[in-house]
Amino acid sequence: TDLAHIRNFSIVAHIDHGKSTLADRLIQSTGTVQDRDMKEQMLDAMDIERERGITIKANTVRIDYKAQNGETYVLNLIDTPGHVDFAYEVSRSMRAVEGSLLVVDSTQGVEAQTLANVYQAIDAGHELIPVLNKIDLPASECDRVAEQIEDVIGIDASGAIRVSAKTGVGIPETLEAIVAHLPAPTGDANAPLKAMLVDSWYDSYLGVVVLVRIMDGILKKGDRVRMMQNGSVHGVERIGVFRPKMEKVESLGPGEIGFITASIKQVRDTKVGDTITHDKAPCDTPLPGFKPSVPVVFCGLFPVDSSEFEDLREAIEKLALNDASFSYEMETSAALGFGFRCGFLGLLHLEVIRDRIEREYDIELITTAPSVIYHVFMKDGTMEPLHNPADMPDLTYVDHIEEPRIKATILVPDEYLGDVLKLCQDRRGIQLDLTYAGSRAMVVYDLPLNEVVFDFYDRLKSVTKGYASFDYQMEGYREDLLVKMSILVNDEPVDALSMMVHRDRADMRGRAMVEKLKELIPRHMFKIPIQAAIGGKVIARETLSAMRKDVTAKCYGGDATRKKKLLEKQKAGKKKMRQFGKVDIPQEAFISALKMD
Ligand code: GTP
């Protein structure tokens, strides 16, 4: 296809504003997929994605569109992940296209996430087409939302297309706008090959599939290509496009988007953002701005049933095969036995992986407190990255500790602003900015990442009844008064519960932890002290008193089935517990104890 008849775009939207529905409608109305093949939400294939209403892996589709001017265009849509954890993937896929549809739910308005993604689109030099969706709903307020888009984002929204992705109203106008307003790609077919590695994933039938955007040159089947970051060379075996099903093509030229397979063993060997060129006639310079995504949140994953360790290893290895941003290494804990220390891009990424292990592989897990990476500066001038509070070096050798900070942007209706400010203040936040756009406030805070990784989203949602939206970016490291707090149950330290906290908040957190644990740990035949300590100093203490009666005592031995049931129930309850010394701690204690109120 000649460049003038190609349009490449992505859709920027907040979760639930209708990105997938709109994409489906564009695919369907152009006849790319026959109606009878149209499954609900073509673009969100994975169950978990659908269930959580998020899109994780970038997907793409090529649409042939006959425009009103009688000419046929190739429209390539790249679906971007919607969540902050995947910000780097978003920025990559944005650089693979020239424009975006900015979809805003006309019953809701602009959200923090929309903003973050819009800025990425603007950074990538995109032309933006504002689209107001869900106009079929009575609560739709197009004029107000258009005005808000102008106020908050600063782009002209007077001509925003009014759409109902549900009924199909506005879809022809959207397709025409893509052709009329988005620039055609540029590139030189005669120049050496320069292609962007936009995404890659493992397909059990094809092996590693690589999504590419050709900048210059021509990519053909049989070509020997080189990944410029790691220098590896591969022979291209298959080449094709998504309609949205895979369809083979002979070659891909400038401006085109498609996939290749090239006997690549694992997804890890393909770095998103890398430049692909011909091995024999390479281009001079790689594409700018390559930056691998690095895990920022770490936690331990242990099987509840220690005999499932090998199953867990297999599950983790399989998941890692298709997710280069998920890292893991084996870990042993005195209390939890064998497990893995895993690194994630963020909390949501953590939850998705944990859910998949539990659901797809049917392994019950104990998840230890999520932790960020601290920089521990030693007195001898060296710095040690600390991924696990359990590995905290002896304090006498430590000079100071630095922690990662984020810049968080929160959009919230006026009436909840006070609660949001209090929440951020409680989490050691420093307010950077506060502005208004209509009846909503936009607050920007500098926050320690460790105060956000655990339950910040949940708290934010609950104090604002779900009306706030949140987005963040990493801001670098800063020194603070951080200490390791240990939890001792029956005088034994439970590593999985130890955490790094700010000195000024340690007493409060310690007290809250021991109180929660006292509720969560069942009574035993003996008295159990539960303590929080910093170094050798106990800062909080509770005592769980001993159980007085045998649970079956009140059955009088008469009702045998009842007695049996009770014992079975006890046994089932036991399954979810782990023994620490002589004490059984239920799995839920590891998570619940860490939630702050
Ligand atoms: P993620 O894929 O999770 O990022 O969400 P999304 O932005 O793709 O949203 P999705 O397309 O899944 O739509 C969210 C919800 O809004 C779904 O229940 C859709 O059926 C509904 N929806 C989407 N477009 C419209 C519309 O035009 N009108 C109405 N009434 N509902 C819509």
Side-chain angles (χ1 to χ4, degrees):
T1 322
D2 69 304
L3 288 164
H5 289 89
I6 300 178
R7 296 292 184 274
N8 297 321
F9 69 106
S10 60
I11 303 179
V12 168
H14 182 70
I15 284 172
D16 274 352
H17 282 201
K19 184 172 72 174
S20 310
T21 312
L22 178 66
D24 289 353
R25 194 64 68 212
L26 295 175
I27 293 170
Q28 198 180 19
S29 72
T30 49
T32 309
V33 175
Q34 295 307 312
D35 285 356
R36 65 187 148 79
D37 293 337
M38 195 74 200
K39 270 200 259 98
E40 272 275 305
Q41 311 253 310
M42 288 290 309
L43 284 182
D44 285 357
M46 276 167 54
D47 273 1
I48 293 197
E49 291 187 19
R50 194 175 304 173
E51 219 166 275
R52 292 179 165 255
I54 50 159
T55 312
I56 297 165
K57 274 283 159 205
N59 284 305
T60 184
V61 60
R62 173 165 165 156
I63 299 167
D64 288 330
Y65 170 59
K66 186 152 191 234
Q68 276 162 18
N69 63 12
E71 299 187 32
T72 301
Y73 292 81
V74 168
L75 313 181
N76 287 305
L77 164 61
I78 286 192
D79 187 21
T80 53
H83 195 272
V84 287
D85 282 2
F86 306 96
Y88 176 69
E89 289 188 16
V90 176
S91 90
R92 268 304 106 190
S93 31
M94 295 254 176
R95 285 186 196 278
V97 297
E98 286 77 25
S100 287
L101 299 181
L102 165 62
V103 175
V104 180
D105 182 336
S106 62
T107 69
Q108 303 288 329
V110 175
E111 305 284 352
Q113 227 174 53
T114 325
L115 267 184
N117 287 346
V118 164
Y119 291 143
Q120 294 220 26
I122 292 172
D123 264 0
H126 280 196
E127 200 62 51
L128 291 170
I129 299 176
V131 171
L132 302 171
N133 190 30
K134 307 200 186 180
I135 58 162
D136 58 291
L137 294 174
S140 164
E141 293 180 90
C142 289
D143 293 335
R144 183 184 68 80
V145 174
E147 207 173 292
Q148 195 206 10
I149 292 175
E150 299 197 346
D151 284 351
V152 182
I153 301 174
I155 59 166
D156 178 15
S158 55
I161 308 171
R162 303 180 176 207
V163 169
S164 167
K166 187 174 174 188
T167 66
V169 171
I171 297 299
E173 289 80 357
T174 307
L175 288 161
E176 278 300 307
I178 292 170
V179 169
H181 299 313
L182 299 188
T186 55
D188 180 357
N190 298 312
L193 177 68
K194 185 183 268 190
M196 182 194 288
L197 197 164
V198 184
D199 194 10
S200 64
W201 58 92
Y202 189 81
D203 180 291
S204 50
Y205 176 61
L206 298 171
V208 175
V209 179
V210 177
L211 180 67
V212 293
R213 154 72 201 262
I214 312 292
M215 299 299 175
D216 289 318
I218 308 248
L219 181 60
K220 292 193 293 292
K221 191 177 159 182
D223 284 356
R224 292 197 65 76
V225 293
R226 190 198 307 167
M227 312 271 185
M228 291 182 84
Q229 274 298 321
N230 62 11
S232 66
V233 175
H234 306 271
V236 176
E237 291 171 343
R238 289 186 197 81
I239 180 161
V241 296
F242 295 99
R243 284 183 188 277
K245 282 199 195 107
M246 286 179 161
E247 195 178 294
K248 283 185 193 165
V249 297
E250 287 306 310
S251 64
L252 290 171
E256 292 195 286
I257 294 172
F259 70 88
I260 57 169
T261 66
S263 65
I264 300 164
K265 295 261 155 32
Q266 26 175 352
V267 171
R268 272 165 210 283
D269 301 334
T270 59
K271 301 273 183 238
V272 168
D274 200 352
T275 308
I276 299 175
T277 191
H278 280 133
D279 184 40
K280 285 283 153 55
C283 58
D284 297 339
T285 46
L287 295 160
F290 174 80
K291 165 184 104 191
S293 46
V294 286
V296 293
V297 177
F298 287 78
C299 77
L301 296 181
F302 294 84
V304 169
D305 175 350
S306 54
S307 71
E308 287 185 332
F309 173 73
E310 283 304 326
D311 299 333
L312 177 60
R313 180 205 295 279
E314 206 183 318
I316 282 180
E317 281 171 358
K318 280 218 184 105
L319 289 173
L321 217 52
N322 208 5
D323 186 347
S325 38
F326 162 54
S327 73
Y328 63 97
E329 59 182 44
M330 218 183 103
E331 179 182 14
T332 48
S333 146
L336 296 171
F338 292 107
F340 292 91
R341 186 90 194 151
C342 301
F344 306 91
L345 296 176
L347 258 205
L348 179 90
H349 188 208
L350 184 164
E351 281 176 33
V352 168
I353 298 247
R354 191 192 55 205
D355 272 17
R356 292 190 60 183
I357 295 175
E358 294 202 323
R359 255 197 280 184
E360 291 170 28
Y361 297 89
D362 199 23
I363 301 168
E364 262 192 275
L365 294 172
I366 291 176
T367 315
T368 66
S371 168
V372 299
I373 306 173
Y374 294 91
H375 288 172
V376 181
F377 289 84
M378 312 299 284
K379 290 207 169 116
D380 65 8
T382 57
M383 187 279 278
E384 305 212 2
L386 178 75
H387 294 215
N388 187 346
D391 301 331
M392 181 70 190
D394 190 328
L395 279 183
T396 49
Y397 302 111
V398 174
D399 186 68
H400 68 279
I401 302 175
E402 292 184 354
E403 66 178 342
R405 311 270 311 191
I406 60 166
K407 186 166 141 192
T409 303
I410 300 165
L411 274 170
V412 59
D414 245 2
E415 63 259 49
Y416 304 111
L417 179 63
D419 296 316
V420 169
L421 296 182
K422 180 170 181 312
L423 174 66
C424 291
Q425 224 62 46
D426 285 349
R427 299 295 171 95
R428 299 194 282 131
I430 298 165
Q431 192 179 310
L432 300 178
D433 198 14
L434 172 59
T435 47
Y436 287 89
S439 61
R440 295 210 298 174
M442 181 170 103
V443 263
V444 182
Y445 260 87
D446 172 326
L447 282 156
L449 180 62
N450 92 332
E451 300 282 350
V452 174
V453 291
F454 202 74
D455 60 348
F456 189 82
Y457 294 121
D458 292 349
R459 297 293 308 154
L460 184 67
K461 262 193 243 146
S462 89
V463 302
T464 63
K465 305 205 164 51
Y467 282 111
S469 63
F470 167 75
D471 198 83
Y472 71 86
Q473 67 196 60
M474 299 294 295
E475 280 288 286
Y477 277 76
R478 223 169 42 230
E479 180 182 351
D480 218 324
L481 275 177
L482 299 155
V483 291
K484 173 184 164 184
M485 180 169 80
S486 313
I487 299 294
L488 295 93
V489 175
N490 206 24
D491 298 320
E492 303 247 9
V494 180
D495 268 359
L497 288 172
S498 62
M499 57 158 87
M500 301 295 297
V501 286
H502 191 271
R503 183 63 194 91
D504 295 347
R505 292 166 50 79
D507 290 355
M508 195 261 286
R509 290 293 296 275
R511 214 173 312 121
M513 283 276 278
V514 298
E515 278 168 18
K516 272 261 179 67
L517 284 170
K518 185 183 173 189
E519 283 168 31
L520 293 165
I521 299 175
R523 290 183 182 199
H524 286 56
M525 301 306 288
F526 45 90
K527 199 162 77 176
I528 303 171
I530 304 170
Q531 298 158 302
I534 294 171
K537 186 169 166 259
V538 173
I539 54 170
R541 182 193 166 103
E542 287 284 333
T543 305
L544 186 62
S545 53
M547 182 160 56
R548 256 168 271 149
K549 278 185 218 142
D550 182 337
V551 270
T552 59
K554 55 173 157 322
C555 297
Y556 306 115
D559 187 346
T561 49
R562 172 130 184 258
K563 195 166 176 173
K564 212 169 117 203
K565 260 197 200 139
L566 209 55
L567 285 170
E568 261 163 26
K569 222 161 126 193
Q570 244 185 346
K571 224 166 94 194
K574 259 238 165 62
K575 240 183 71 194
K576 293 199 176 176
M577 308 241 202
R578 284 298 290 254
Q579 264 211 317
F580 292 85
K582 292 189 313 191
V583 182
D584 286 325
I585 303 183
Q587 183 196 2
E588 70 189 65
F590 293 92
I591 289 297
S592 312
L594 298 159
K595 295 216 165 142
M596 296 175 264
D597 291 318

